[in-house]
Amino acid sequence: EDKVVQSPLSLVVHEGDTVTLNCSYEVTNFRSLLWYKQEKKAPTFLFMLTSSGIEKKSGRLSSILDKKELFSILNITATQTGDSAVYLCAVASNSGYALNFGKGTSLLVTP
Amino acid sequence: GAGVSQSPSNKVTEKGKDVELRCDPISGHTALYWYRQSLGQGLEFLIYFQGNSAPDKSGLPSDRFSAERTGGSVSTLTIQRTQQEDSAVYLCASSPETGLGAFFGQGTRLTVV
C-alpha cells in the first residue's frame, strides 16, 4: 500500500528562523511529488518534483527530491507569520489515479 | 474560469437528507479529484475522473456516496441520507492530466445536524 509520511506533525518557530519539513514515501511506480500550503480551506500548489537532486525554488521556499532514499524536504528561510499554515505533501504514481496525501505539518510562526 | 469553482461554499443539512456538491474545474483540465477533509485530519481521497475513462471510485466510503462528471467538465458529488460523520470539508481539484499539479477549489464545508 502506498504511504506518505510527513514530519514533524507540528512546529512552532520564531519569525526569521529557517525550517525544514520532511516527507518520506513508499509508492509503486512513482511519478511525482507535490507540496501544498493549506491556510484555510483550499490547499495551494507550491512545487511539483519529478527528478532527484534538482532544487525547485520560489522566493524563500525551496524543495528537493531524493528518489533513492524516497524523501523530499521543503525549506522555508527567514520565516514570516504569513508562512503559518499546514504544509501537505502528496505523491502521484503512474499505476494509480489518486494523489496520496500525507497528514501534513502544521507550522506556526510567532512574531 | 480562472480557477476551480465549488458550490455551495457552506451547507448545513439535517441528518437523513440528500446533498449535492458541485465542482467546476479549470477549463481544459481532464483530471478531476474529490477529497474530503475532516477536522484536524489529512485529505481523504474519494473519487477520480480522467477524461472518458471509468472513474476510480475506490475511495468512496459507502454506497451513500456517488459522483458523476458530465461532458468531461462539471462534477457533482451526491451524498444520500447524510449522517453526522459526513460533516467535513469536501475539496475538488483538477489537473491537466494525472500526476501533474492539481489545483484545488475553495471547498464546501458540509455540516450535518
Side-chain angles (χ1 to χ4, degrees), chain A residues 38-106:
Chain A
Q38 186 176 29
E39 291 176 88
K40 290 182 180 175
K41 275 198 229 171
T44 52
F45 174 76
L46 295 175
F47 299 111
M48 183 177 76
L49 303 155
T50 56
S51 301
S52 271
I54 299 174
E55 185 182 55
K56 292 279 183 92
K57 198 169 169 64
S58 175
R60 296 176 294 102
L61 276 66
S62 63
S63 183
I64 198 160
L65 174 68
D66 185 328
K67 289 167 75 173
K68 182 180 176 187
E69 300 298 328
L70 306 182
F71 76 92
S72 173
I73 60 171
L74 175 69
N75 276 321
I76 309 174
T77 59
T79 51
Q80 302 171 358
T81 55
D83 295 327
S84 297
V86 174
Y87 291 83
L88 296 166
C89 171
V91 174
S93 78
N94 285 313
S95 54
Y97 297 143
L99 288 176
N100 194 354
F101 281 84
K103 294 192 183 303
T105 292
S106 177

Side-chain angles (χ1 to χ4, degrees), chain B residues 22-110:
Chain B
R22 177 190 167 105
C23 173
D24 203 338
I26 293 171
S27 178
H29 281 193
T30 58
L32 187 149
Y33 306 81
W34 282 99
Y35 285 85
R36 174 169 76 172
Q37 190 172 33
S38 302
L39 190 64
Q41 301 297 310
L43 271 71
E44 176 190 2
F45 167 71
L46 297 177
I47 189 169
Y48 165 83
F49 297 90
Q50 170 59 50
N52 295 321
S53 303
D56 177 0
K57 304 180 182 180
S58 60
L60 295 177
S62 79
D63 59 7
R64 297 186 295 103
F65 288 73
S66 63
E68 61 177 23
R69 188 177 184 192
T70 53
S73 181
V74 172
S75 177
T76 303
L77 176 69
T78 301
I79 310 172
Q80 295 177 308
R81 304 182 302 282
T82 51
Q83 303 294 313
Q84 287 185 328
E85 62 262 28
D86 300 334
S87 297
V89 175
Y90 289 81
L91 290 160
C92 175
S94 71
S95 72
E97 62 179 87
T98 305
L100 298 184
F103 298 90
F104 283 83
Q106 290 299 311
T108 294
R109 185 180 300 279
L110 175 67

